């Protein structure tokens, strides 16, 4: 809710637009295509989002009590950012360009989603046994989600094509996507080669 208020404050300083208006801007569409493409590459395992200071934060011990529990929740949210970035990025993009009510609903749902495992297992401790253990199945889910992001980017590419004149813009955008893919792939290959030979 607090983050929702922050978004509303920033939004009130600029132009008020409703959901759908931004889809008339070629620049916005191009930015969304690039963002979704990068998120999809993350889902396919070509690179990982990292939280600055994540390793140090992971070793922090919080005190018992209300304040300690609150800080543990904040810490869990920060540390979950690399895993949730592709999905939250899409949801927040939608929220930033929506009505006031939608902004609050999106942020409340994000908060409840992050907190739901803690809330449910707090009220029903026996549910811990039903929570799936981390495993290879998570990679299959990530790839499926990556495919949905690629399909969304392709749809936006079609929208972008309808908004721009000529094929020059399409070629530039496609070339940029190729460079992004090549850069990430080469960086990963360099790390892999370094691990093999060193």
């Amino acid at each position: 809710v607090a983050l929702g208020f922050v978004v509303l404050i920033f939004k009130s300083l600029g132009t008020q637009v409703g959901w759908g208006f931004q889809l008339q801007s070629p620049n916005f569409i191009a930015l969304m295509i690039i963002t979704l493409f990068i998120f999809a590459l993350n889902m396919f395992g070509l690179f990982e989002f990292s939280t600055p200071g994540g390793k140090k934060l992971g070793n922090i011990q919080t005190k018992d009590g209300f304040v300690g529990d609150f800080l543990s929740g904040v810490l869990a949210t920060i540390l979950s950012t690399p895993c949730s970035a592709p999905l939250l990025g899409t949801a927040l993009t939608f929220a930033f360009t929506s009505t006031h009510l939608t902004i609050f609903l999106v942020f409340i749902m994000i908060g409840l989603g992050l907190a739901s495992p803690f809330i449910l297992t707090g009220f029903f401790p026996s549910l811990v046994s039903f929570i799936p253990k981390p495993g290879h199945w998570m990679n299959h889910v990530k790839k499926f989600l990556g495919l949905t992001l690629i399909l969304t980017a392709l749809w936006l590419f079609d929208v972008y094509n309808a908004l721009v004149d000529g094929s020059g813009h399409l070629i530039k955008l496609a070339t940029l996507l190729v460079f992004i893919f090549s850069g990430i792939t080469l960086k990963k290959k360099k790390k892999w080669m370094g691990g093999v030979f060193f």
Side-chain angles (χ1 to χ4, degrees):
V1 173
L3 290 174
F5 273 116
V6 172
V7 172
L8 290 182
I9 291 171
F10 280 106
K11 189 176 178 183
S12 66
L13 298 176
T15 304
Q16 297 292 329
V17 293
W19 177 248
F21 180 82
Q22 74 284 356
L23 294 178
Q24 300 173 16
S25 169
N27 293 332
F28 181 87
I29 297 295
L31 180 62
M32 286 298 97
I33 291 172
I34 294 169
T35 302
L36 290 176
F37 184 69
I38 292 173
F39 285 164
L41 296 182
N42 168 256
M43 288 295 194
F44 288 129
L46 292 180
F47 75 100
E48 297 294 332
F49 287 103
S50 60
T51 305
K55 292 181 180 179
K56 293 181 179 179
L57 289 173
N59 295 324
I60 293 177
Q61 298 293 326
T62 56
K63 297 180 179 180
D64 293 331
F66 178 80
V67 175
D69 291 340
F70 177 78
L71 293 177
S72 294
V74 172
L75 186 62
T77 302
I78 294 172
L79 294 177
S80 70
T81 301
C83 304
S84 57
L87 298 177
L88 286 182
T90 305
L92 292 177
T93 300
F94 173 80
F96 290 157
T97 54
S98 299
T99 63
H100 294 0
L101 177 61
T102 304
I103 289 173
F104 278 111
L105 287 176
V106 168
F107 275 98
I108 288 172
M109 290 301 113
I110 289 173
L112 288 175
L114 289 169
S116 58
F118 302 100
I119 294 172
L120 289 174
T121 54
F123 283 109
F124 308 101
S126 60
L127 288 177
V128 173
S129 61
F130 291 98
I131 297 177
K133 294 182 180 180
H136 189 62
W137 65 271
M138 298 173 68
N139 293 324
H140 295 300
V141 173
K142 283 182 65 177
K143 289 176 182 177
F144 172 75
L145 294 174
L147 179 61
T148 61
L149 292 177
I150 288 291
L151 292 175
T152 305
L154 288 174
W155 171 72
L156 287 176
F157 210 97
D158 184 59
V159 174
Y160 182 76
N161 184 34
L163 294 175
V164 296
D165 296 325
S167 59
H169 295 286
L170 294 175
I171 294 173
K172 289 178 182 178
L173 180 57
T175 303
L176 179 59
L177 294 179
V178 169
F179 273 111
I180 291 172
F181 175 77
S182 301
I184 292 174
T185 304
L186 288 174
K187 186 176 181 181
K188 182 177 181 181
K189 184 178 180 181
K190 185 177 179 182
K191 287 184 178 180
W192 180 80
M193 294 295 286
V196 170
F197 293 106
F198 301 102

